[in-house]
Amino acid sequence: MVCFGLRSTLLFSIACFSVTAAEAGPEKAQSYCDAHWQAFTPTNGVQPYRPLIAFEPEHRFLHGGRAPGEVKVDFTAQQYDIRVGGRLINGVPIWAAAPAAETAAYIFDENGQRCRIRSQDFENPSFRAVWGYAPGRIELDFGDHFKSRVTSRLDYTTASPARPDGAPFGGAPCQSTNLHTHGLLVSPYKDEAKKLYGDYVLDLASPQHGDQCGGAGGQHVHNVADALNYDIAIPPHRPDPTIPNQALESGYHPSGLFWFHPHPHGYSAKQLSGGTSGLITVGNADDHPTAPGAAPVKTNLRLMLIRDMQIQKNADKGDYVFVASSDPALCAPSDNSRDTTLWPDGECNGGGDTSWIFTVNGVQKPEIAQDLRRDEAEVWRIANGSPSASYRLAIIPLDEATNKLASNQVHPIDFRILSKDGVAAAQESEAKEMLLMPGSRVAIELDRRLEGGAFALVSLGVYSGGDNWPAVVLATVKWPQTAKAAASAEPRSGAAMRPQAGAPAGMKKFDLTSRGPTIVRSLAKAGTKAGSLAAACEPLDGNERVILFVKNPNYGDGDGYRNADLFGLVAGLRAPPAHEGEPTPADYDAYRFFRRDNADQALADTAAVRLDEVKSASEAKFKSDGSHNFTPAFAAFPEFGNICVRRSRSVEDAETWVIENWTNEFHNFHIHQSRFSIGEASQLHNYAYFRFPCSDPATMDKCSSQNQSLKSDGIIEAFYQDKTGANGHAALGEDLHDSVPIPRGSDNCDGSIGNKDCAPGRITVRIPFNRKEQVGTFVYHCHILEHEDRGMMGLVQVIDPDAPETPHAHLGH
């Protein structure tokens, strides 16, 4: 059995009855949850931690083993009234789940027994009111298929806070949706004959077929249909942890934690603010034991999905309503200082009737207590499912989280970082805090010697340069002094995944994800000269891609978006720099960018242009607003952010992408269908490849000197700084990511390229495009979805030189 066992005090009174082995025939005995679900009432104001519902293939649920199968769960996007923190919240967009007959849905009861959920329970209003905000976890193994029919019943015809504002370039609120499996290395195919999709995000499912999100998708919406049918195949092979890079070869897939969410361009953030996301796990918790022969360590593994939403008091009814267009400054200090207040109750309120609530697995400020065990390590796999907010995760003594304290008055405890973005870290490291930007995941291990202590999982707050993401208590953890000891080394069912009995007995602990980190080498050997700058879709011949993050602040489009920033991406090529300093104007003049003028123009036919032409073309489009070099994803043509890649033959033939931030706020680089490593250690102190202006003594005076700003900038730098992983969290050239933070430029960076008063932020990544599963069209973007929705996104098209029939001549607009 691929058992990601989850147990907790449940949010309902659940009566279970047993089905005996005789009644079940050859199948294992099982229990079904009574259909009489009762809404949970907190005990003395305390809400217990709860797991997510798990969906796995029926045959594995009944018989165990690891034979490939399919998980089929249909999702309908709709508004629903849900309960969070004892409050009824109206109009929350959720994904109503409907598992097929061949898919088992289960949770664990308070006694550690699996409790199966009937399909009709998902239609029960009482059940959905509580469990609907957390649609669940898709439990997959190698060779499995995840199938889903995605539809939309969203209806924004009635004005209310739950009705999103119109999107830039679109106006009308979007009722359409689609599905993205974040982090999975699967195909982005679109089979028009069979009407099937892989992880393809450029089509939409609409309630009335004619709703195209008011045009919000711009050039990046290809088709609108009544429903989208997904058949996403997990590659069949489990990587050998002793073979470097094997997880990145065609046909292989790392085990680990991933997630799914909608991706309707222009409205992703507004839908994701609700309950339209869940987790995906691939593989087994005991896939890769390490350190054989050492003493066994019992491990309790939890899966946590952190999310947030804003709600507004409904004075007429006495309940609350979901706020679709959230305010990132809601809880910012009134004096604009950034000495962050720590909000102790899982929510913040900036005054008035609007609150910002934070949840773990759909529960506001849950308490982890009842299922803790002495002599068991706690391992937490955590995903940031927020559309835009970042978290500085830390674990602090509970008595420091009971009052509103400045973040510099707390004393975080050490934890061990085991994996990032679902894939094992090349080197485990100790840390006191961890930056988790939207879409990112981390696995941490807590010390078993914390018995008798009381702690809080918190975010210490992040100032992005543009937004203040609040410091807040997310959950509490209480180890009783007389915590019950586990009876033996055998795995027990508990609040989280435990390794299975079939694992080798002599292991020290479990590596929760695939080893074999990528160590991709630069194609341009030292002392060699790169070839001339390549044409679109041609091999880079030792050259490097450069991606410029830009924006047009205070753009007014006449449709209610005055005083709103719009963002963009500019993509080009450069030769490896001849000097180590900051690129000069002459260097930028030598870069080449690719201009696409209309939807019918293939990327292979785009013309190479200089930066001045990018600027002049953008200025012509946005001249009335003073735009200088702004090229958003949803604007009219021309486009300058699209990338065409020729599939390589080896994982070591990775491309170098130098990512520059010409804005004065953080961004979060994410690319679909791919994994990448962080540059090379030799590049870290070379301004041409890495620069952290707001934590660099040479340029720090150009940035805000306020306390919280410096802490946020410092943790971005720490993410990259230490190649050993001892202080940072990204071993250079080794750890695999699907998203990473981009340091902000200095305060004078207004989004325009070449601003002489701007010190841009810069990092470098290495992305292999060798997998057959990458062939097709997908996107890269900022995963602060507020930025992506406002234009910070571009297309990536991977063509296969060994397959002439690859449909790359037309992108399907």
Side-chain angles (χ1 to χ4, degrees):
M1 178 190 310
V2 180
C3 180
F4 291 85
L6 303 172
R7 178 178 69 82
S8 159
T9 303
L10 299 179
L11 296 188
F12 298 94
S13 298
I14 301 177
C16 293
F17 61 89
S18 296
V19 178
T20 67
E23 292 171 320
E27 300 173 353
K28 294 184 177 181
Q30 56 183 305
S31 296
Y32 288 90
C33 299
D34 191 286
H36 183 63
W37 301 94
Q38 298 179 4
F40 169 72
T41 300
T43 303
N44 298 323
V46 175
Q47 302 185 83
Y49 169 85
R50 69 172 168 102
L52 296 170
I53 298 168
F55 300 96
E56 74 167 333
E58 173 83 4
H59 69 86
R60 287 207 297 260
F61 180 86
L62 295 175
H63 305 293
R66 302 189 69 167
E70 66 178 47
V71 175
K72 188 175 191 307
V73 184
D74 294 340
F75 290 107
T76 299
Q78 64 183 86
Q79 296 134 285
Y80 210 81
D81 298 343
I82 64 170
R83 290 190 178 275
V84 176
R87 291 175 289 200
L88 183 66
I89 305 170
N90 306 132
V92 181
I94 68 168
W95 263 349
E102 63 270 24
T103 297
Y106 71 89
I107 52 180
F108 272 78
D109 67 19
E110 58 188 4
N111 297 313
Q113 301 300 311
R114 289 199 303 169
C115 188
R116 184 162 181 171
I117 302 172
R118 296 185 181 90
S119 59
Q120 58 264 37
D121 292 332
F122 288 91
E123 299 296 325
N124 188 303
S126 297
F127 172 85
R128 187 175 289 174
V130 177
W131 291 89
Y133 185 53
R137 176 175 58 86
I138 306 299
E139 187 174 307
L140 300 171
D141 211 340
F142 305 102
D144 281 353
H145 285 246
F146 171 34
K147 297 182 178 181
S148 183
R149 185 175 189 268
V150 173
T151 55
S152 174
R153 294 180 187 171
L154 295 172
D155 183 359
Y156 292 129
T157 56
T158 302
S160 83
R163 183 180 190 266
D165 295 333
F169 314 107
C174 179
Q175 302 173 151
S176 299
T177 194
N178 59 11
L179 175 73
H180 169 49
T181 53
H182 183 120
L184 291 186
L185 302 182
V186 295
S187 172
Y189 77 89
K190 173 182 177 180
D191 189 326
E192 296 189 19
K194 296 181 179 179
K195 299 187 182 303
L196 285 177
Y197 294 89
D199 184 30
Y200 184 83
V201 299
L202 302 176
D203 283 6
L204 296 173
S206 166
Q208 293 86 31
H209 190 81
D211 171 29
Q212 297 188 28
C213 298
Q219 293 85 264
H220 290 170
V221 169
H222 290 183
N223 186 49
V224 179
D226 296 320
L228 301 179
N229 294 293
Y230 294 89
D231 185 352
I232 296 171
I234 304 300
H237 303 302
R238 177 166 63 95
D240 183 334
T242 67
I243 301 177
N245 303 321
Q246 192 177 59
L248 297 180
E249 298 289 356
S250 298
Y252 291 86
H253 198 286
S255 60
L257 178 63
F258 312 90
W259 66 302
F260 61 95
H261 63 84
H263 213 292
H265 310 312
Y267 287 90
S268 295
K270 293 174 174 58
Q271 288 191 18
L272 195 55
S273 295
T276 56
S277 61
L279 297 182
I280 298 174
T281 50
V282 175
N284 204 331
D286 60 3
D287 274 342
H288 302 291
T290 61
V297 172
K298 295 179 287 295
T299 302
N300 184 20
L301 176 57
R302 300 177 192 272
L303 291 151
M304 300 181 180
L305 176 61
I306 301 175
R307 291 191 298 197
D308 65 280
M309 68 174 166
Q310 293 185 6
I311 60 175
Q312 186 177 104
K313 182 75 174 178
N314 188 335
D316 296 333
K317 296 183 178 181
D319 50 16
Y320 294 80
V321 63
F322 171 75
V323 177
S325 299
S326 59
D327 178 9
L330 179 67
C331 301
S334 58
D335 62 357
N336 202 33
S337 71
R338 289 157 194 151
D339 189 15
T340 301
T341 295
L342 180 61
W343 298 84
D345 296 319
E347 68 177 88
C348 66
N349 187 299
D353 295 330
T354 303
S355 295
W356 196 345
I357 64 174
F358 297 81
T359 62
V360 177
N361 292 352
V363 182
Q364 183 177 339
K365 195 186 175 181
E367 180 183 86
I368 303 171
Q370 181 173 343
D371 49 18
L372 292 172
R373 297 293 187 266
R374 177 160 43 89
D375 296 329
E376 270 195 344
E378 282 277 315
V379 173
W380 297 351
R381 274 176 163 173
I382 305 171
N384 180 357
S386 168
S388 297
S390 291
Y391 299 96
R392 284 174 57 204
L393 293 182
I395 300 170
I396 65 174
L398 187 58
D399 60 5
E400 296 182 350
T402 55
N403 298 302
K404 295 181 178 180
L405 300 175
S407 60
N408 61 0
Q409 294 176 293
V410 299
H411 302 87
I413 65 172
D414 290 333
F415 54 79
R416 184 175 296 109
I417 297 173
L418 303 179
S419 72
K420 305 152 217 175
D421 284 347
V423 175
Q427 301 179 51
E428 294 176 8
S429 59
E430 297 285 338
K432 292 184 181 294
E433 61 182 53
M434 175 70 187
L435 176 66
L436 205 64
M437 296 196 78
S440 300
R441 288 90 64 212
V442 66
I444 64 173
E445 181 180 22
L446 306 186
D447 197 311
R448 291 172 293 148
R449 295 170 293 178
L450 299 176
E451 179 186 348
F455 303 91
L457 173 66
V458 302
S459 173
L460 295 177
V462 177
Y463 174 65
S464 72
D467 298 325
N468 260 332
W469 295 310
V472 64
V473 174
L474 301 170
T476 60
V477 188
K478 294 182 179 180
W479 268 277
Q481 291 285 354
T482 57
K484 181 179 178 182
S488 69
E490 288 294 313
R492 67 176 178 84
S493 295
M497 300 186 293
R498 281 180 171 70
Q500 301 306 298
M507 69 184 67
K508 177 182 178 183
K509 67 174 192 60
F510 290 94
D511 174 4
L512 306 178
T513 48
S514 299
R515 290 282 179 181
T518 179
I519 307 177
V520 289
R521 304 301 183 190
S522 173
L523 290 180
K525 296 182 174 61
T528 64
K529 184 177 180 180
S532 59
L533 293 178
C537 302
E538 294 300 322
L540 296 190
D541 192 22
N543 292 296
E544 302 167 343
R545 294 197 191 275
V546 59
I547 313 296
L548 311 180
F549 281 55
V550 300
K551 75 175 180 181
N552 181 6
N554 301 320
Y555 172 68
D557 65 357
D559 290 322
Y561 273 80
R562 299 189 185 280
N563 301 318
D565 292 346
L566 296 182
F567 298 87
L569 294 170
V570 177
L573 297 177
R574 76 176 192 183
H579 56 88
E580 291 192 353
E582 183 72 16
T584 66
D587 291 330
Y588 284 105
D589 188 56
Y591 294 1
R592 291 295 179 269
F593 303 90
F594 295 100
R595 171 176 175 145
R596 185 166 179 244
D597 288 305
N598 58 70
D600 293 323
Q601 185 178 18
L603 294 190
D605 298 331
T606 54
V609 299
R610 295 180 182 272
L611 184 59
D612 282 346
E613 186 170 338
V614 176
K615 292 181 177 182
S616 61
S618 296
E619 188 174 4
K621 286 192 295 181
F622 298 99
K623 187 173 182 178
S624 61
D625 301 284
S627 180
H628 182 54
N629 39 239
F630 170 65
T631 56
F634 305 128
F637 287 101
E639 293 180 335
F640 297 96
N642 300 324
I643 295 171
C644 186
V645 177
R646 181 173 294 234
R647 178 180 164 236
S648 66
R649 301 184 184 277
S650 169
V651 68
E652 293 193 356
D653 294 342
E655 292 194 353
T656 295
W657 287 29
V658 181
I659 303 170
E660 291 186 356
N661 184 2
W662 286 85
T663 79
N664 58 6
E665 57 186 303
F666 301 154
H667 297 292
N668 190 26
F669 171 74
H670 171 60
I671 184 169
H672 292 202
Q673 275 49 68
S674 308
R675 287 274 165 171
F676 55 83
S677 58
I678 308 299
E680 298 176 5
S682 62
Q683 298 171 335
L684 182 59
H685 301 292
N686 181 345
Y687 278 176
Y689 291 99
F690 288 89
R691 197 178 192 192
F692 308 93
C694 295
S695 53
D696 183 345
T699 49
M700 192 181 297
D701 60 346
K702 294 184 177 181
C703 303
S704 170
S705 60
Q706 293 175 329
N707 184 40
Q708 183 60 29
S709 173
L710 293 179
K711 288 186 176 181
S712 299
D713 292 318
I715 198 172
I716 293 274
E717 183 179 15
F719 190 94
Y720 299 96
Q721 190 66 271
D722 193 331
K723 68 179 181 179
T724 67
N727 298 316
H729 314 298
L732 291 169
E734 296 185 351
D735 284 351
L736 294 172
H737 299 267
D738 55 53
S739 61
V740 288
I742 310 300
R744 69 188 181 110
S746 58
D747 284 354
N748 289 327
C749 293
D750 60 0
S752 59
I753 307 165
N755 176 357
K756 62 182 177 58
D757 296 321
C758 169
R762 184 179 297 112
I763 62 104
T764 297
V765 300
R766 298 278 294 155
I767 310 178
F769 292 99
N770 61 298
R771 295 170 59 89
K772 293 180 180 179
E773 293 87 355
Q774 290 172 291
V775 174
T777 302
F778 48 92
V779 298
Y780 74 104
H781 58 88
C782 177
H783 213 286
I784 298 173
L785 294 183
E786 176 191 9
H787 298 173
E788 181 245 288
D789 285 341
R790 292 178 179 272
M792 197 165 268
M793 185 187 70
L795 296 175
V796 177
Q797 186 178 45
V798 179
I799 61 174
D800 191 344
D802 297 329
E805 70 278 7
T806 299
H808 63 272
H810 192 280
L811 294 181
H813 291 309

